[in-house]
Amino acid sequence: MLRYDRMWVKSLGLVAGLAAVLLTSSAQAAEKIKLGVIGGAEEEIAEVAKKVAATKGLDVQLVTFSDYVLPNAALDTGELDANAFQHKPYLDAQIKAHGYHIVPIGFTIVEPIGLYSKKIKAFDQLPEGAKIGIPNDPSNGSRALTLLAAKGLISIKEGKAQSPSLLDIADNPKAIKFVELDAAQLPRSLDDFDAAVVNTNYALEGGLDPKKDALIQEARQNNPYGNFIAVREKDKDKPVFKILVAAYQSKEVDTFLETRFKGAILPAW
């Protein structure tokens, strides 16, 4: 009996050792990627996608940024393997400006941009000569002007509706004064304006509730500003990115968006 017990213990040790080797091999086999995201709400969403990806053997290491400028530069130079923060008009503008070879591979979320104010309670209360802050990057600045034009505050020159700049304003009946500012600074600068057009991620970070506090907002359905995962063009067909896209477009992320943001941030897929 004693001999049997010793053999059993020895066998158990061999099994445990084999299990440890298998677990170590599995961990070593897990592929790793670095994903750039904007801190705050988008980072929270990425954390959920990261957990889903881990169940599929993909280790997603998140790298957070505080503005829109750096994530594409970091991706282009190889500091990141992918990023998830931007919409197509923004990427197109970045490619035009910097020559990046970056492509979208799968939609993530859409965050309807809105107009916010600490001085008025309704859009029609904007006074003559009001000062309105808008993002200073071309794509989100265009997005802000498009929103204001859609609500009748200004009109855009014919042929410029797709990507208007301040120079493309045809009619400004209230003599609105527009001030361009870094998108991340706008929520903190609301006291300096009569109102400001703010991206949803920065609105949430600044303590604003897009569903309650926005005076006007982009349409939620068929919104052309859906965010996506972007990678270097040469890497777009790598299997790891199919896992990443599926993780973002999962039931877990969909449920998180509904319970955490209650319609302020929506799935774009």
Side-chain angles (χ1 to χ4, degrees):
M1 185 67 180
L2 182 59
R3 183 169 178 267
Y4 177 80
D5 287 345
R6 286 175 177 171
M7 290 178 64
W8 182 81
V9 170
K10 185 177 181 180
S11 298
L12 185 60
L14 289 171
V15 170
L18 179 60
V21 170
L22 290 173
L23 286 172
T24 301
S25 299
S26 175
Q28 290 174 343
E31 296 202 57
K32 297 180 180 180
I33 62 169
K34 289 184 178 180
L35 174 69
V37 297
I38 301 298
E42 294 185 19
E43 184 181 4
E44 290 184 50
I45 298 164
E47 288 284 0
V48 179
K50 173 181 178 175
K51 291 177 182 177
V52 177
T55 67
K56 307 298 182 183
L58 179 60
D59 180 4
V60 180
Q61 300 176 352
L62 299 181
V63 181
T64 59
F65 295 86
S66 60
D67 61 47
Y68 295 146
V69 177
L70 295 178
N72 280 330
L75 176 57
D76 185 66
T77 59
E79 296 173 55
L80 299 175
D81 299 297
N83 62 43
F85 78 100
Q86 64 193 319
H87 48 67
K88 191 64 163 57
Y90 184 82
L91 178 58
D92 288 345
Q94 288 278 290
I95 290 172
K96 184 177 180 180
H98 302 287
Y100 296 142
H101 296 285
I102 295 172
V103 296
I105 59 169
F107 282 107
T108 56
I109 57 173
V110 62
E111 305 172 86
I113 204 168
L115 181 73
Y116 298 84
S117 177
K118 289 187 176 180
K119 297 180 180 179
I120 60 173
K121 298 297 184 182
F123 180 64
D124 59 10
Q125 293 175 1
L126 276 170
E128 296 280 337
K131 185 164 70 169
I132 294 181
I134 64 172
N136 65 359
D137 64 274
S139 63
N140 284 305
S142 293
R143 189 177 180 183
L145 295 177
T146 299
L147 171 65
L148 298 176
K151 300 301 181 180
L153 185 65
I154 58 174
S155 65
I156 303 298
K157 293 176 182 177
E158 188 174 350
K160 299 293 186 178
Q162 292 301 314
S163 56
S165 70
L166 291 176
L167 297 176
D168 299 320
I169 296 175
D171 192 23
N172 183 2
K174 282 194 170 184
I176 301 298
K177 298 173 184 176
F178 291 100
V179 179
E180 296 177 294
L181 189 66
D182 181 82
Q185 299 297 322
L186 286 167
R188 297 191 285 270
S189 303
L190 271 180
D191 289 333
D192 299 329
F193 302 113
D194 293 290
V197 181
V198 183
N199 293 79
T200 295
N201 60 305
Y202 291 134
L204 290 168
E205 190 177 321
L208 299 167
D209 184 336
K211 291 190 72 177
K212 296 178 180 178
D213 298 330
L215 304 181
I216 57 172
Q217 232 181 354
E218 284 175 340
R220 293 172 175 271
Q221 302 299 321
N222 301 315
N223 190 308
Y225 293 100
N227 285 5
F228 49 73
I229 298 163
V231 300
R232 291 180 293 276
E233 188 172 12
K234 65 180 182 179
D235 297 332
K236 64 184 178 65
D237 295 321
K238 286 186 175 181
V240 290
F241 296 127
K242 291 182 173 61
I243 297 174
L244 182 61
V245 170
Y248 259 99
Q249 297 179 356
S250 64
K251 181 180 179 181
E252 290 87 344
V253 171
D254 191 9
T255 300
F256 179 75
L257 292 176
E258 176 60 32
T259 56
R260 172 69 175 85
F261 299 108
K262 304 184 186 306
I265 300 178
L266 304 168
W269 64 89

